[in-house]
Each structure stands twice: as C-alpha cells, then as structure tokens.
Amino acid sequence: MFLENLAETFVELADTLVAGFDSVEFMHLLANRCVATLEVDAAGILLVDHHGELQVLGSSSDRARLLELFELQHRQGPCMECYLTSEPVTVASFTGSPQRWPEFSAVAKDAGFGALHAVPMRLREQTVGALNLFTVEEGALSEPTLRVAQAMADVATIGLLQAQIISHRELLAGQLQHALQSRVLIEQAKGVLAERLQIDMSTAFETLRRYARGHNRYLSRVAEDVIDGTIDMAALAAVTEGKSSTRDPRP
C-alpha cells in the first residue's frame, strides 16, 4: 500500500504540464500528499515570491498555516533557516532546552506539535522555498522518510520551475505572434496607401509611421484603419505631402 501510494504521489507531482495549471492548488496537493504518504500530522510549504519574500503557498491544516505565518512575521525559525541555508532543519522537540527559536517553539507547542522537519525545495543551485513537516509526537523522522520527503520536494520544485518556463515561453510566443500579425497588417496597409495615394512602398510606410506618432497611436492600429477604410485619407495624404499640422517634427 505504501509503495502504491508513493507511486501515485510522484505521478501527481510530476503532472504540471496540464492546461490550466494552478500553482497554489499544486502546493496544497503536495502538503496533503505529504501527510498521507509520510504519515506526518501536518505539512506546509513556503515559497519565495518575485520580490524575494517567502510566502505561505500551501498547508494541510490551519494550525500549520498559522504557525508558518507566525514564523514569517517574526522573520526567523526553522523553516526560514532551511530556505536560507538550502539545508534540512530538524527540531526534534519543542520542549527540550535550549531552544534555538524559543518563541516559535512555544507557539508550535501550543498548536499541539511536538517536532518539525524542514527540507529545502531546490534544483541545483536554485532554492525556491521549504517543505515543512509537523508531527504531534516528538522525535526525528527516520532517514528513509526524510529521503522520500526530499525527493517529493525535488519533484515538486522541478514541476514548478518547468511550469514557469512553459508560461514564459507561451508569453514570448504570444508576443511574437502578435508582432507577426501586426507586420502583416502594416504590409497590407502600405499596399493600400501606395495604390490610393500613388506613392511607393517606402513612402507609404513613412506615412503610416508619421501619422501614428503624430496622433499618438499604435502603428498596427493605424494600419487596421487603413485596411478597413475608416481613416481620413486626406489626412494621410497631407502627411505624405508634408502639409499636416500633426506631422512629426522629429527627423
């Protein structure tokens, strides 16, 4: 049963290439899968945002979420230490002394937890957050369990970064497609102007450019209006002849 559950977990964590991928839902999936697979009592995930600040992105319980929020508010604790050092951090007991983070330990104890284990979410030199495992009982997790936890964190990190790369590529592809479509419109508009105003193609493009800049409009929008026949051709002719009051004075 354990191996079957583990296999299903890794399949779900690797499935980030689906349409409509939701990183927040993915983090909640990771937290819940940790509880089910690793037999810990709660799990939470801290991820760094584009400002370089850690945020709580997923948790299996409100107790874990509030504890991590407390840690972020005070800007110190085992989970933050794990992220900053990119190394696992274990607090095997919140009752023993001395405590490195006494305030955090007191709040964790009041929340009903006895121990915490944090593993970094990293890929090579890049660390994006920390996966935090809470247990009611005191004591460290076994080495095999911690290795599985780190493997889950690694797979989740790869999935997140892969989804980010795909999103970036889609954005670039969309921008490129828009640029290509705009170029087609401009070429068509140049042909229309060249025919109607009896000018060459270079002059037609310069006319479009000067009109767009003089009227503070996108060149592609002006091209659309030329193709649709909704633009004042007399104004464009005036630009061509250098008589328009809106002519761009810049060379």
Side-chain angles (χ1 to χ4, degrees):
M1 180 62 71
F2 171 77
L3 291 178
E4 181 179 345
N5 187 30
L6 186 61
E8 292 176 354
T9 296
F10 279 104
V11 168
E12 285 192 283
L13 293 178
D15 192 14
T16 59
L17 306 184
V18 296
F21 171 74
D22 186 336
S23 59
V24 175
E25 178 62 29
F26 182 67
M27 290 297 96
H28 282 284
L29 168 66
L30 174 60
N32 291 329
R33 274 298 189 174
C34 283
V35 173
T37 305
L38 304 175
E39 297 183 347
V40 295
D41 296 294
I45 298 99
L46 299 178
L47 285 183
V48 67
D49 62 18
H50 60 287
H51 296 298
E53 297 290 333
L54 285 173
Q55 305 290 341
V56 179
L57 256 291
S59 59
S60 63
S61 71
D62 287 337
R63 289 188 303 163
R65 178 177 178 274
L66 292 175
L67 188 55
E68 291 182 323
L69 287 173
F70 175 88
E71 183 174 3
L72 294 182
Q73 182 180 6
H74 289 75
R75 305 187 68 82
Q76 61 176 334
C79 308
M80 182 169 287
E81 179 79 6
C82 174
Y83 165 72
L84 293 174
T85 63
S86 297
E87 295 293 337
V89 175
T90 292
V91 180
S93 172
F94 291 123
T95 59
S97 59
Q99 288 288 329
R100 183 175 178 186
W101 302 282
E103 292 183 351
F104 177 86
S105 296
V107 173
K109 180 182 176 182
D110 290 342
F113 295 119
L116 177 145
H117 312 78
V119 295
M121 296 187 66
R122 66 190 177 199
L123 178 61
R124 300 185 182 93
E125 301 301 320
Q126 183 175 5
T127 302
V128 300
L131 170 61
N132 312 304
L133 310 172
F134 302 88
T135 58
V136 172
E137 298 295 327
E138 295 184 352
L141 294 175
S142 67
E143 282 300 319
T145 300
L146 287 175
R147 284 198 296 270
V148 172
Q150 186 64 69
M152 292 172 65
D154 291 345
V155 170
T157 303
I158 293 171
L160 281 175
L161 295 177
Q162 179 68 22
Q164 187 180 65
I165 291 172
I166 291 173
S167 177
H168 180 64
R169 285 176 178 170
E170 289 177 347
L171 175 62
L172 291 179
Q175 292 173 338
L176 177 59
Q177 183 62 30
H178 177 73
L180 292 174
Q181 291 172 346
S182 296
R183 190 70 232 178
V184 170
L185 289 174
I186 292 168
E187 291 300 320
Q188 292 175 347
K190 283 166 56 179
V192 172
L193 278 185
E195 189 275 328
R196 293 187 181 180
L197 301 182
Q198 295 299 298
I199 56 179
D200 59 42
M201 295 292 279
S202 295
T203 303
F205 176 73
E206 185 64 19
T207 297
L208 288 171
R209 188 183 69 85
R210 287 183 175 273
Y211 184 93
R213 295 172 70 180
H215 289 77
N216 195 29
R217 298 186 61 196
Y218 289 113
L219 184 59
S220 59
R221 294 294 178 85
V222 174
E224 287 180 347
D225 290 347
V226 171
I227 296 169
D228 295 339
T230 58
I231 201 168
D232 185 355
M233 294 300 295
L236 283 169
V239 171
T240 303
E241 297 167 3
K243 299 178 181 179
S244 172
S245 60
T246 60
R247 181 179 178 182
D248 187 353
R250 290 170 291 186

